[in-house]
Amino acid sequence: MRKQNKWYPVVKRIFDIFCSIVGIAFSSPLWMVAMVGIELSDPGPIFYMANRVGKENKQFRMYKFRSMRQGKANEAVFRGDENRIFPFGKFMRASKIDELPQLINILEGSMSFVGPRPAAVDQLDITRGGKYAKVGRVPAGLTGPSALFDYIFGDGIKEAREYETSVLPIRLELDLVYLDKAGLLFDLKMIWWTILCVMGEIMHKKPKRILEKMVSWVTEYTHNKSVSRK
């Protein structure tokens, strides 16, 4: 983890507070659309609340709009039962509307706009074990390199075994890449890339250059670490 400007955490927190308040205010019509759409699709709880692990491995409740039909909880795997997602839920996931409630997490300080993916409690040994333990030094993020990689590539992998072999290793390395690159300008870049990726998903146009760039970051990071150990 590279040395950061001492003001970066302070500026980042101020940015998170201000933008989460503005984001909640301006996105409130979408909240209403989501609530009505969920109730019409599958009456029941509007929100899905998951136990996640953030900074310093502290647990918190992460909020999302529910996009799956009610039923028995999924087994602890990286790929859930896609058949349980109702049609409006698929739209919310593609447009990222389902993650709007995480603005509350950002406002309360359990998450940030940009950072590593929040870790599931029952997957902590994989996502925060060994060399990935240092990922827990920073707040979990709504978006970031690993979240974007999952969004534009990982979401297309439906089989759990295939996901764990072709997506998960790169996703975990991208959390380390974030620690290496974290800074105000990089955070703004990730937010801009997120907008581009969501627009691309809605228009059914994959942002291949962004995907290729993130893969190249992993290759570069792995090479540099390998060289430094020699």
Side-chain angles (χ1 to χ4, degrees):
M1 185 173 179
R2 69 183 178 85
K3 186 177 180 180
Q4 297 172 344
N5 185 297
K6 64 179 181 178
W7 294 107
Y8 169 60
V10 177
V11 174
K12 184 180 179 74
R13 182 59 189 145
I14 294 173
F15 176 87
D16 284 344
I17 294 173
F18 175 78
C19 290
S20 59
I21 293 173
V22 173
I24 291 171
F26 278 88
S27 66
S28 56
L30 292 177
W31 290 57
M32 295 302 298
V33 170
M35 291 176 183
V36 172
I38 293 168
E39 189 62 27
L40 292 176
S41 300
D42 187 61
I46 297 297
F47 298 100
Y48 167 72
M49 291 176 283
N51 292 322
R52 292 291 184 264
V53 176
K55 186 177 180 181
E56 306 300 341
N57 287 338
K58 293 181 179 179
Q59 291 190 32
F60 67 96
R61 299 298 295 275
M62 187 183 76
Y63 309 116
K64 295 183 72 172
F65 283 124
R66 182 171 61 87
S67 59
M68 284 186 168
R69 295 182 179 88
Q70 298 183 80
K72 187 177 179 180
N74 291 330
E75 185 183 352
V77 294
F78 285 96
R79 293 286 83 178
D81 184 1
E82 299 290 327
N83 294 324
R84 282 180 54 202
I85 304 175
F86 46 80
F88 184 70
K90 291 181 180 179
F91 166 73
M92 287 196 299
R93 288 189 171 203
S95 60
K96 288 298 183 181
I97 290 176
D98 67 317
E99 296 190 358
L100 283 176
Q102 287 169 48
L103 291 172
I104 298 174
N105 288 117
I106 295 172
L107 181 60
E108 69 183 14
S110 56
M111 288 180 63
S112 178
F113 267 101
V114 184
R117 285 174 59 89
V121 176
D122 50 10
Q123 297 163 356
L124 199 60
D125 57 333
I126 298 174
T127 58
R128 296 293 185 271
K131 67 178 182 179
Y132 303 113
K134 60 183 179 180
V135 175
R137 299 176 188 173
V138 299
L142 173 62
T143 189
S146 60
L148 286 179
F149 181 76
D150 212 24
Y151 179 56
I152 61 181
F153 180 68
D155 281 356
I157 308 297
K158 305 305 180 184
E159 295 295 326
R161 188 176 298 276
E162 183 181 358
Y163 180 90
E164 292 173 14
T165 56
S166 63
V167 179
L168 184 59
I170 297 177
R171 200 190 89 182
L172 294 177
E173 290 297 314
L174 281 170
D175 280 339
L176 296 179
V177 168
Y178 174 74
L179 296 184
D180 195 54
K181 293 180 175 291
L184 183 59
L185 291 179
F186 186 76
D187 285 357
L188 293 174
K189 183 177 185 177
M190 290 298 98
I191 293 173
W192 174 240
W193 276 15
T194 301
I195 296 172
L196 293 178
C197 288
V198 171
M199 291 174 59
E201 183 68 23
I202 293 173
M203 296 186 293
H204 303 288
K205 186 176 181 181
K206 292 290 184 181
K208 294 182 179 179
R209 293 182 64 180
I210 291 178
L211 181 63
E212 292 170 355
K213 186 64 176 178
M214 290 190 292
V215 173
S216 72
W217 283 345
V218 171
T219 302
E220 180 183 359
Y221 177 83
T222 304
H223 172 74
N224 290 342
K225 289 299 179 182
S226 177
V227 171
S228 65
R229 287 194 295 266
K230 292 182 179 179

